[in-house]
């Protein structure tokens, strides 16, 4: 056996052991999976669902840690500053990792340079809902009313500058109407106003509004997404109603601090994809209003860049200034 052959075998074995030790280190201590929003919301529900399934399948100890504040900036900052060893992850989402660079003048992190994408977990289209007694049954009804009363028809949105606000502006532009946007801290605050008629329409993710839709305490009008939501197969998309440019769905993806070894990223990605593709979790996701994705790091990076550009254009067009 030649010296060169022995050396090659040694190097191959060393690399294999190194990769194995890096990957296996994920089981040596707890993994903190940070949720950027308070307990009980759509993002938190998805985060805990994923953490539980991944932990069951891998044996890893995954602890969900809620760090709400500053539109998700606190969670992203904490992750960006963490040791890049795979033991601190964040559930990134369109409204924070995509929009925050456009809405905040000073960030302690760079959404492209400070994180290592792991993969897309799920998405959920937004949906327009009205009270059960509302005369609006289609987008055409809303457009007709808004044309007759410019700036009077009200659209409740979950915060200024978020996806609901921006996509509402895009819809108004495409339909040549003017809606009056009314910001809320969340659906729980908006629901009484929608029910009483103080606002006429509300927009949020299917994941956040599905329980009320199924309970028939609100009536869905149309969803904003590339295709109909599997959770609401009978509700048309904005594109089907004549507004093809209004299509950006909200997505969630796992991210780690920049510099996390590729072996660890790959191990985490495989565990995430296995969890998302399991029959039990896929059913849970659909039942909760999510569309399962379970893709790779490159897909998440591409989606991040595309939405950064498209939503950035919407922010500029809206005239919203960074805080």
């Amino acid at each position: 056996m030649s010296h060169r052959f022995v050396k090659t075998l040694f190097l191959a074995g060393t690399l294999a052991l190194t990769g194995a030790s890096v990957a296996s280190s994920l089981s040596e201590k707890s993994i903190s999976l940070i949720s950027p929003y308070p307990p009980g919301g759509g993002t938190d529900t998805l985060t805990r669902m994923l953490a539980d399934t991944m932990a069951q399948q891998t044996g890893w100890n995954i602890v969900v840690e809620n760090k709400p504040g500053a539109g998700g900036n606190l969670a992203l900052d904490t992750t960006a500053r963490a040791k890049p060893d795979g033991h601190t992850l964040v559930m990134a989402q369109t409204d924070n990792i995509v929009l925050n660079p456009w809405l905040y003048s000073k960030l302690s992190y760079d959404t492209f340079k400070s994180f290592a994408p792991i993969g897309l977990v799920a998405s959920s289209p937004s949906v327009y809902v009205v009270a059960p007694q509302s005369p609006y049954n289609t987008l055409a009804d809303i457009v007709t009313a808004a044309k007759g009363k410019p700036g009077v028809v009200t659209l409740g949105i979950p915060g200024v500058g978020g996806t609901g606000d921006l996509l509402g502006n895009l819809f108004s532009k495409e339909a040549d109407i003017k809606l009056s946007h009314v910001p809320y801290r969340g659906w729980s605050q908006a629901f009484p106003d929608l029910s009483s008629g103080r606002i006429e329409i509300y927009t949020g993710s299917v994941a956040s509004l599905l329980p009320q839709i199924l309970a028939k305490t609100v009536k869905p009008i149309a969803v904003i997404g590339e295709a109909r939501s599997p959770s609401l197969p009978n509700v048309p998309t904005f594109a089907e109603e004549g507004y093809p440019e209004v299509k950006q769905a909200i997505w969630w993806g796992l991210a780690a601090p920049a510099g996390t070894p590729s072996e660890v990223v790959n191990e985490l990605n495989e565990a995430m994809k296995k969890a998302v593709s399991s029959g039990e979790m896929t059913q849970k996701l659909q039942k909760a209003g999510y569309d399962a994705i379970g893709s790779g790091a490159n897909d998440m990076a591409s989606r991040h860049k595309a939405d950064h550009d498209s939503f950035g254009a919407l922010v500029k067009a809206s005239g919203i200034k960074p805080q």
Side-chain angles (χ1 to χ4, degrees):
M1 184 179 294
S2 70
H3 175 72
R4 179 178 294 179
F5 183 67
V6 171
K7 185 176 181 180
T8 300
L9 284 176
F10 174 78
L11 288 173
T14 300
L15 289 172
L17 288 172
T18 300
S21 63
V22 170
S24 64
S25 69
L26 292 173
S27 62
E28 293 176 359
K29 63 179 182 178
S30 296
I31 297 173
S32 175
L33 175 50
I34 299 175
S35 172
Y37 301 106
T43 296
D44 186 65
T45 298
L46 176 62
T47 303
R48 293 178 185 279
M49 196 183 302
L50 179 66
D52 289 346
T53 305
M54 286 178 62
Q56 290 171 8
Q57 293 180 344
T58 62
W60 300 338
N61 183 22
I62 304 176
V63 180
V64 175
E65 183 179 358
N66 295 92
K67 282 191 174 293
N73 283 333
L74 180 59
L76 292 175
D77 174 74
T78 300
T79 306
R81 295 174 182 271
K83 185 178 179 180
D85 59 1
H87 290 279
T88 302
L89 311 174
V90 67
M91 183 64 82
Q93 189 238 27
T94 305
D95 276 283
N96 51 56
I97 203 165
V98 171
L99 286 178
N100 282 358
W102 298 107
L103 302 177
Y104 293 87
S105 57
K106 294 182 180 180
L107 293 176
S108 60
Y109 57 85
D110 183 302
T111 57
F112 290 103
K113 296 179 181 179
S114 301
F115 303 97
I118 294 171
L120 294 172
V121 176
S123 67
S124 181
S126 296
V127 59
Y128 275 28
V129 298
V130 297
Q133 69 274 17
S134 171
Y136 305 147
N137 294 299
T138 64
L139 286 181
D141 293 337
I142 294 173
V143 171
T144 298
K147 285 184 179 293
K149 301 180 293 182
V152 175
V153 176
T154 49
L155 172 67
I157 57 172
V160 176
T163 52
D165 192 10
L166 297 174
L167 293 173
N169 288 335
L170 179 59
F171 170 50
S172 292
K173 179 182 177 182
E174 293 294 308
D176 192 26
I177 59 175
K178 184 177 181 181
L179 298 174
S180 178
H181 290 197
V182 182
Y184 290 90
R185 293 180 180 177
W187 171 236
S188 60
Q189 185 187 47
F191 180 56
D193 283 359
L194 184 70
S195 299
S196 65
R198 290 187 179 183
I199 59 171
E200 296 168 83
I201 315 159
Y202 184 80
T203 179
S205 70
V206 170
S208 64
L209 297 176
L210 188 60
Q212 285 73 32
I213 293 172
L214 295 178
K216 298 185 178 180
T217 54
V218 298
K219 180 171 58 176
I221 299 296
V223 297
I224 301 176
E226 295 281 357
R228 293 193 181 196
S229 168
S231 303
L232 298 172
N234 297 321
V235 180
T237 65
F238 272 62
E240 290 176 284
E241 296 291 280
Y243 306 99
E245 296 304 313
V246 189
K247 60 184 179 182
Q248 294 90 337
I250 301 167
W251 54 262
W252 291 261
L254 277 186
T260 300
S262 59
E263 296 90 346
V264 174
V265 170
N266 291 339
E267 184 79 0
L268 288 164
N269 175 257
E270 289 302 317
M272 181 273 288
K273 288 194 294 186
K274 181 180 178 182
V276 172
S277 64
S278 66
E280 183 179 355
M281 184 167 177
T282 299
Q283 290 178 2
K284 286 182 178 179
L285 286 170
Q286 183 172 331
K287 191 173 182 180
Y290 299 96
D291 300 340
I293 300 179
S295 69
N298 290 338
D299 289 333
M300 182 173 172
S302 297
R303 182 70 174 269
H304 182 187
K305 178 63 170 62
D307 280 5
H308 175 270
D309 295 344
S310 62
F311 276 109
L314 295 179
V315 171
K316 292 177 180 178
S318 72
I320 296 172
K321 302 299 181 183
Q323 298 179 13

